[in-house]
Every structure is written in structure tokens, then in C-alpha cells.
Amino acid sequence: MENIPKIMISSSDGPRAMPVIGMGTATLTACSDEVKVAVIEAIKMGYRHFDTAALYQTENPVGEAIRDALRLGLINSRSELFITTKLWCNSTERHLVIPAMKESLRNLGLEYVDLYLIHWPLKLNQEHFKVPVPKDCIGTIDIKAVWEAMEECQNLGLTKSIGVSNFSSRKIQEILSFSKIPPAVNQVEMNPLWQQKQLNQFCKENNIILTAYSPLGAIGNAWGDNRVIECDVLQDIAMSKGKTTAQISLRWLYEQGVSFVVKSFNTKRMKQNLDIFNWSLSADELNKISYIPQRKNVYLIGMMMSEHNDVMADIDDEL
């Protein structure tokens, strides 16, 4: 079993350890049983951080896997795992946050999660998520009211830590101006082809951990592509080191001082993704990566955004 390094985040219990690498569970193709089996296999390999969300509809199988892992003796207690889930945009109103949090806990079969994130800084006025989102269904979020409800979730013990996802430094700064509990984490797209240098620096200066999603470009998902895996610079470095391109990307993230969630239900790749901690990239290799042309996942933003929508264009700024 792999020994995964941890990074400290703020919580209701003071500084708290979060495994640097987490397993993502966002999927449009896998069924619940596949997700459950993959999580159990990941626990056997040493994964202890699992990332889900109300939107993903994988909270139930993640919870089932946790119960099976306990029953099988793969873990001794629930406290050995770090579970992240997220508030979906149809509940980003003050009076809806705690009910949404409790619904996620019911789905997971847990008394608390380790980290609860606001999934996107916007409000969706639609019962069922459909893309592209019509312009008249997208509204602005009252971030002060929503964040106060997030703080109440932590104060009630429903979550150990609270944070955000897909937030720019400007929007985080707004939260910092009034918050009693600052965000512990900001989860955003980050990989060698979208390096988030300014946002990472801002988060470090404010004691916020940046967590990278789509660290491999989300290849295999409807919103992803193969640009990271097929990047010539990363492929050349991988060949010279006897590693995979995915391992180079994940190692680069680790050396940026961030955490990351990577999704693969293939056991071989799941093991490879853990084999990044006993070697390093050279200064020359890091320099080559720093000059890779930058391009964010336009499809991910486009999937959410209606044409000429000022709300989403504002969110897209910086991200």
C-alpha cells in the first residue's frame, strides 16, 4: 500500500491533514457499481481521499464503498478517509445550503464530510441540470449569504472544512473581506497546460490550498481532451525518465505545492498515478514545462455558458 504525503488545511479541529492525491468520481459513463468497485480497489492501493459532488450522482456508491471497506477491514474507521463533496448551483441560496449538505450526508451515509465546497460561484434556476444552461436560468450568487450558511455547516459539525471551487482570486478576496471562517481550499482546473500561476500564488499568500482537477486534461470524460497526455514536452520528459506522461503531469503538480484529484477506474493507471513521490523533476525539466503554451479547457466553460452570458464570462475571468 502506498504512503501518500499529506498537506495541512484549516478546519474546525485546527490544522488538519489532507492526502495530496485524491480519487475523483465525476463520470458520465460508469454505473454506480463500477464507481463502488473502483473506490474499494483504490482503498486497497492506499488512496484515502475521495472527491464527489451532488452533481456527479456518485455520493451513494462512494458511501457504499466506505461501508464495504469498513466491513472488509480495509480501513479501521471512517476517520482514516478524507471525503470531499460539493454544493450544487441549484442550492446556492442561504436557506438551501444546510438542507443540501444534509442530503449529501444521507447519500454518503456519513455523519460528516471532511471538506464541503461551493461547486461554482453562480446560481442555477433549474431543477435538473441540462447543458448548455439557458441564459435565463443563470443568476448571480449572494456570496455573503451563501458563505455564512457554509460557515454554519462547519459550526454544526456537518463538515470539518469549507471551501470553494472554480473561484477567481477576486471572488475569494470578497469572501475574505467578511468571512469568520476563510476558505480552506479552492478547487480549479490545473495542469501543465493551464498552470494557474497567479491564482496559486494568491492562494498560498492567503493560506488556501489549491486543489487541481482535470490534472490530466480529463481525458475519457465528455468535457475533457487529450492535450495533456499528448503534449510533446511532457512526452519527451516521460520518455527520458522512463515514466508515463500522466506521471510527469502529476509530479509537476506535486512540486507546485498543490493537491490534486485524478479520476481513473483502471487499476493499472490508478497504481501508476500513485507512483510519483519517490523521484523528482530536474530544474531543466521544470523550466521546459514552464514554457508550455497555456490553454484552459474551453469546453468545460462552454458547457456551462450560454452565448454572451455576462455572469459566466465574469466567472471565467482568471480561471
Side-chain angles (χ1 to χ4, degrees):
M1 187 178 77
E2 296 290 337
N3 186 22
I4 298 172
K6 296 178 173 62
I7 194 166
M8 303 306 291
I9 67 169
S10 59
S11 79
S12 55
D13 299 330
R16 200 158 182 270
M18 176 176 72
V20 166
I21 185 170
M23 178 180 174
T25 62
T27 177
L28 297 178
T29 56
C31 68
S32 291
D33 285 345
E34 288 176 290
V35 175
K36 175 183 171 181
V37 169
V39 171
I40 291 172
E41 288 302 309
I43 291 173
K44 290 178 182 178
M45 292 179 199
Y47 286 86
R48 291 295 181 265
H49 179 183
F50 296 92
D51 181 273
T52 183
L55 175 67
Y56 304 161
Q57 298 184 352
T58 56
E59 290 173 328
N60 278 301
V62 169
E64 290 172 3
I66 294 170
R67 290 189 289 279
D68 277 7
L70 285 164
R71 181 176 55 81
L72 295 169
L74 301 177
I75 53 174
N76 295 316
S77 71
R78 180 268 180 261
S79 63
E80 292 181 26
L81 300 179
F82 191 102
I83 307 299
T84 298
T85 193
K86 307 177 190 78
L87 175 75
W88 184 235
C89 302
N90 61 3
S91 297
T92 48
E93 295 185 61
R94 185 187 186 109
H95 69 286
L96 297 177
V97 174
I98 291 177
M101 167 90 267
K102 290 182 176 179
E103 178 66 19
S104 284
L105 291 177
R106 282 192 291 272
N107 290 337
L108 287 160
L110 299 176
E111 294 181 357
Y112 71 91
V113 292
D114 299 272
L115 179 61
Y116 195 45
L117 304 176
I118 301 174
H119 208 147
W120 283 84
L122 57 86
K123 181 172 65 173
L124 293 184
N125 301 309
Q126 56 177 192
E127 186 174 350
H128 302 292
F129 181 53
K130 296 179 181 179
V131 293
V133 179
K135 183 175 182 177
D136 59 2
C137 287
I138 300 177
T140 56
I141 183 175
D142 182 346
I143 189 58
K144 187 173 188 296
V146 172
W147 190 255
E148 287 172 350
M150 293 287 286
E151 291 178 328
E152 191 172 353
C153 286
Q154 181 168 321
N155 290 333
L156 289 171
L158 304 177
T159 181
K160 297 290 186 181
S161 300
I162 53 177
V164 296
S165 179
N166 300 300
F167 272 56
S168 66
S169 58
R170 179 169 51 81
K171 288 182 170 58
I172 295 174
Q173 191 66 61
E174 183 180 352
I175 294 176
L176 294 175
S177 71
F178 58 73
S179 61
K180 296 177 181 176
I181 304 173
V185 167
N186 184 22
Q187 187 179 121
V188 298
E189 179 190 1
M190 183 177 177
N191 54 58
L193 275 70
W194 192 239
Q195 297 183 10
Q196 298 279 23
K197 293 177 182 178
Q198 291 182 332
L199 185 58
N200 190 19
Q201 183 60 35
F202 170 84
C203 287
K204 287 179 178 178
E205 291 170 355
N206 288 279
N207 196 33
I208 299 168
I209 298 301
L210 203 62
T211 295
Y213 70 71
S214 299
L216 307 178
I219 188 171
N221 286 323
W223 57 89
D225 57 38
N226 58 4
R227 61 199 170 95
V228 175
I229 297 301
E230 294 186 357
C231 173
D232 290 342
V233 173
L234 299 179
Q235 287 182 338
D236 288 346
I237 295 172
M239 186 173 297
S240 69
K241 298 183 84 69
K243 302 293 182 182
T244 67
T245 310
Q247 287 172 324
I248 299 301
S249 180
L250 297 179
R251 178 68 201 190
W252 176 84
L253 284 165
Y254 179 58
E255 295 191 17
Q256 305 313 300
V258 305
S259 65
F260 42 94
V261 291
V262 58
K263 195 221 83 176
S264 177
F265 296 164
N266 178 290
T267 54
K268 179 181 178 181
R269 288 195 290 271
M270 286 161 64
K271 289 178 180 177
Q272 289 177 339
N273 291 341
L274 290 180
D275 185 20
I276 61 168
F277 300 115
N278 61 356
W279 51 275
S280 61
L281 295 167
S282 69
D284 181 58
E285 289 164 342
L286 289 169
N287 186 57
K288 289 178 181 177
I289 292 173
S290 72
Y291 282 101
I292 292 175
Q294 296 294 286
R295 181 171 68 89
K296 63 186 143 185
N297 190 338
V298 177
Y299 181 78
L300 181 63
I301 296 297
M303 183 178 72
M304 294 286 294
M305 182 167 51
S306 300
E307 189 176 3
H308 306 307
N309 191 295
D310 294 339
V311 175
M312 283 302 297
D314 181 50
I315 290 168
D316 192 23
D317 178 43
E318 279 195 321
L319 293 175

